[in-house]
Structure formats: structure tokens, C-alpha cells
Amino acid sequence: MMPGIDLDTYEQGDRNALADAMDVMVRAFDPAFGEAWTLPQLSGVMLMPGTWLTVARLDAMPLGFALVRSVLDECELLLLAVAPLWRGRGVGEALLRDSLRTARRKGITSMNLEVRSTNNAIKLYEKTGFEFVHRRPGYYRGNDGQLYDALSFRLDMLA
């Protein structure tokens, strides 16, 4: 992780945090896949109990974010995004590891996630210890109508 990068976690819909996440969202998600969320979607999820948003910033500039929702002792990484110019510099890994630390502090014992089968982030998830669970053929539909498989991963944190 680069020096000077701050990770801030929010459990409420902080206006600045949501704006920073949306700033990254529009830069990070390729419109071809239609995966970016809208501000109302993001705000709505932040109202749910057990949800937290972590934003990575350098000198107040948003670089990436992670959105996690928990129920009882399980959680799901809903979104992880890093601005294109900051990919490959450890920002995504720092966000993921921080999300796992937060989950452990909350007594959560496993994290799940689902990802498009062609997403480069799969390497990060596997490196962090996530294990492949299931493939859903043709689950995602890109804006061009092309279908993509969804891959489910899980990390058990009891160890």
C-alpha cells in the first residue's frame, strides 16, 4: 500500500463518502458491462443494517471503495472498485483486507462475493484466499446483450 493513502469506513450514508464512491464508480466500471450502481442504489443499500462503505483516498482524492453488507455472521462484498489510474498499486488489496478486518471485528466468520467471470479482480480474490464456490452460466448481461458467467467465491475467516 502506498504511503499517504487513507482508508475511511462509514456505516451511515455520509454524503461525502457516497459522492466519493460515485466518483470512483463512474470511472471504474466499464459501461459495456452495465455493472455500475446509481447513487439511489448505493444510498439505499447504505440504509440497511450491517452495511459499511470503505473509501480509499490520497490527499482527499477518492481512489477506490469497498461496499460490504452483513447478516448475522456472514457478509458479502457487494462492490469493490478502484479508479483505473490507481489499479495495480495495492489500493484494491488494501480495501479488501480492511473489509476483512472490519468483518472479523464484527464477529463475522465468512465473506462471500460474486464476480463476472472475465473480471481481472478474480486474481486479487484468489490471492487473498477466496475459494471458488459456484458458476452461474450467462448470469450477467452486458449492455451489448452479451452474456457473462458469474463466479461465486467464499472466504472462511475462522482460521
Side-chain angles (χ1 to χ4, degrees):
M1 185 69 180
M2 295 176 54
I5 292 182
D6 295 313
L7 297 176
D8 298 307
T9 300
Y10 304 87
E11 294 191 20
Q12 303 295 323
D14 178 271
R15 178 180 263 144
N16 292 328
L18 293 174
D20 285 351
M22 289 307 300
D23 178 66
V24 171
M25 186 108 54
V26 297
R27 292 184 283 144
F29 288 95
D30 186 333
F33 300 111
E35 296 166 331
W37 289 20
T38 63
L39 180 57
Q41 288 171 316
L42 181 59
S43 300
V45 168
M46 285 301 298
L47 293 174
M48 295 178 170
T51 303
W52 70 90
L53 173 70
T54 304
V55 180
R57 297 182 182 95
L58 178 63
D59 296 329
M61 180 180 66
L63 310 179
F65 71 91
L67 178 66
V68 180
R69 180 180 61 202
S70 65
V71 176
L72 300 175
D73 64 345
E74 292 191 343
C75 68
E76 181 180 9
L77 178 66
L78 298 173
L79 291 171
L80 177 69
V82 176
L85 293 176
W86 290 92
R87 291 182 184 151
R89 299 187 194 192
V91 175
E93 183 173 355
L95 284 162
L96 182 56
R97 291 192 184 281
D98 189 76
S99 295
L100 289 166
R101 274 191 297 277
T102 300
R104 284 186 182 98
R105 275 197 309 272
K106 292 176 175 285
I108 294 168
T109 58
S110 65
M111 182 178 281
N112 299 285
L113 65 88
E114 190 173 87
V115 61
R116 178 179 25 85
S117 61
T118 57
N119 192 318
N120 289 333
I122 292 169
K123 295 178 196 117
L124 169 62
Y125 302 138
E126 291 175 335
K127 173 184 172 186
T128 311
F130 282 83
E131 295 181 359
F132 172 79
V133 175
H134 180 72
R135 175 184 293 266
R136 293 181 185 177
Y139 183 75
Y140 293 114
R141 180 180 301 276
N143 284 335
D144 61 359
Q146 185 172 342
L147 297 176
Y148 299 91
D149 293 355
L151 305 181
S152 297
F153 287 85
R154 178 181 181 92
L155 177 66
D156 289 316
M157 300 185 284
L158 291 174

